[in-house]
Amino acid sequence: MPISLCMIVKNEEDYIEKCINSVKSVADEMIIVDTGSNDRTKEIAKKFTDKIYDFKWNDDFSSARNFLISKATKDWVLVLDADETISSRDLAAIKNLANNDLNNNNENNYGNKNNKKIMEYSFIQRTYSNEIKKLKWNYAKDDFYDESKPFLGWTYRGITRLFRNDKRIKFDYPIHETVIDSIKRINGKIIQTIMPIHHFEILKGEDFNNKKYSYYIKLLKNKIKMHP
């Protein structure tokens, strides 16, 4: 089934092209929502799609992402950030997930008659780092993905990024936004995969990340007020 690549971006001129190139072969449609870039982000995006929209940022990631996915017209939605990629070795699997045509003998039994109940697939986001972390840390030394080679390793977390284009599915929460709650509300089935999304936040530098973390603390305080 066809896939809509959906991205919210801001000042991502150094990363967006690599991200889109990594998945363009499986994206039947590309939706880009810009939240206030003043660099070449939109100019670069225009190389790939004319479906580029502006969104006035309001300190709410769910609001921006829900506007984003409202523009999608294909059967499945694949959400990526501009500093992420998917390996070429996993692209066929992405298509298989959207088509629900994996082998019936697969241990997760994706190919059974209940496939229409599958509403979402989760992935493993690898955030690469050269600083060894205490929690959820993996060394890159023996990893077979080329994306990990320049780094000491990565931390990881489960993340929801491929789901059906169903108007009942929405993002919740102003930060750490997720579609999981809305899928549970409609009794949709969520399948966990071990497929990695490669996250290169480290390349943006220490100053960027320090500012990002400070801003996220502000949003987390708002989240606590809204969702105690």
Side-chain angles (χ1 to χ4, degrees):
M1 291 186 176
I3 296 172
S4 296
L5 172 66
C6 292
M7 302 173 62
I8 57 171
V9 298
K10 181 181 179 182
N11 293 336
E12 298 283 4
E13 64 179 3
D14 293 332
Y15 307 98
I16 187 171
E17 190 161 5
K18 182 178 180 181
C19 174
I20 294 176
N21 276 328
S22 77
V23 293
K24 65 182 181 181
S25 65
V26 298
D28 302 280
E29 172 182 66
M30 298 180 186
I31 311 293
I32 309 294
V33 166
D34 188 275
T35 63
S37 294
N38 55 20
D39 65 358
R40 296 178 57 249
T41 296
K42 289 198 288 185
E43 178 184 341
I44 295 170
K46 287 177 182 178
K47 296 180 183 179
F48 301 94
T49 181
D50 60 356
K51 296 182 178 182
I52 301 171
Y53 304 90
D54 292 312
F55 181 86
K56 186 176 181 180
W57 184 245
N58 60 357
D59 290 336
D60 188 330
F61 280 97
S62 283
S63 179
R65 292 207 192 273
N66 286 331
F67 175 78
L68 168 69
I69 64 175
S70 74
K71 303 298 182 181
T73 67
K74 304 306 179 183
D75 294 306
W76 285 82
V77 171
L78 173 64
V79 175
L80 286 179
D81 291 335
D83 58 356
E84 296 175 332
T85 66
I86 293 178
S87 172
S88 59
R89 69 169 62 215
D90 291 324
L91 295 180
I94 293 284
K95 271 297 188 183
N96 284 341
L97 293 176
N99 290 332
N100 290 157
D101 64 0
L102 296 186
N103 191 306
N104 284 334
N105 293 323
N106 184 283
E107 63 180 1
N108 289 311
N109 201 20
Y110 299 153
N112 66 27
K113 64 182 180 180
N114 294 318
N115 278 350
K116 289 185 178 179
K117 294 183 179 179
I118 298 175
M119 303 298 287
E120 185 266 328
Y121 295 97
S122 66
F123 298 85
I124 303 298
Q125 184 191 54
R126 295 179 169 194
T127 297
Y128 290 107
S129 178
N130 288 319
E131 296 182 9
I132 298 174
K133 311 291 184 178
K134 292 183 179 180
L135 296 176
K136 296 186 176 182
W137 174 260
N138 280 268
Y139 284 99
K141 181 179 178 182
D142 298 320
D143 184 55
F144 53 79
Y145 282 100
D146 291 338
E147 286 84 353
S148 69
K149 302 303 183 188
F151 310 103
L152 285 179
W154 66 87
T155 56
Y156 66 92
R157 68 181 180 121
I159 196 163
T160 56
R161 290 301 180 81
L162 181 66
F163 50 89
R164 290 188 187 274
N165 188 2
D166 184 311
K167 300 306 179 185
R168 298 172 295 174
I169 298 177
K170 300 289 184 182
F171 283 92
D172 293 310
Y173 312 120
I175 186 172
H176 297 154
E177 66 283 5
T178 179
V179 296
I180 289 178
D181 289 358
S182 65
I183 291 173
K184 288 181 177 178
R185 287 194 290 268
I186 61 175
N187 296 315
K189 190 173 183 180
I190 299 172
I191 298 294
Q192 295 180 342
T193 80
I194 59 171
M195 192 183 307
I197 290 178
H198 305 276
H199 185 208
F200 302 102
E201 182 181 74
I202 182 178
L203 300 179
K204 293 183 174 180
E206 185 176 356
D207 183 59
F208 171 88
N209 286 302
N210 286 339
K211 290 178 180 177
K212 173 184 173 180
Y213 298 147
S214 295
Y215 178 61
Y216 274 28
I217 289 173
K218 171 187 171 182
L219 296 190
L220 284 167
K221 290 179 179 178
N222 290 338
K223 180 179 178 180
I224 291 171
K225 292 178 182 178
M226 295 170 61
H227 305 278

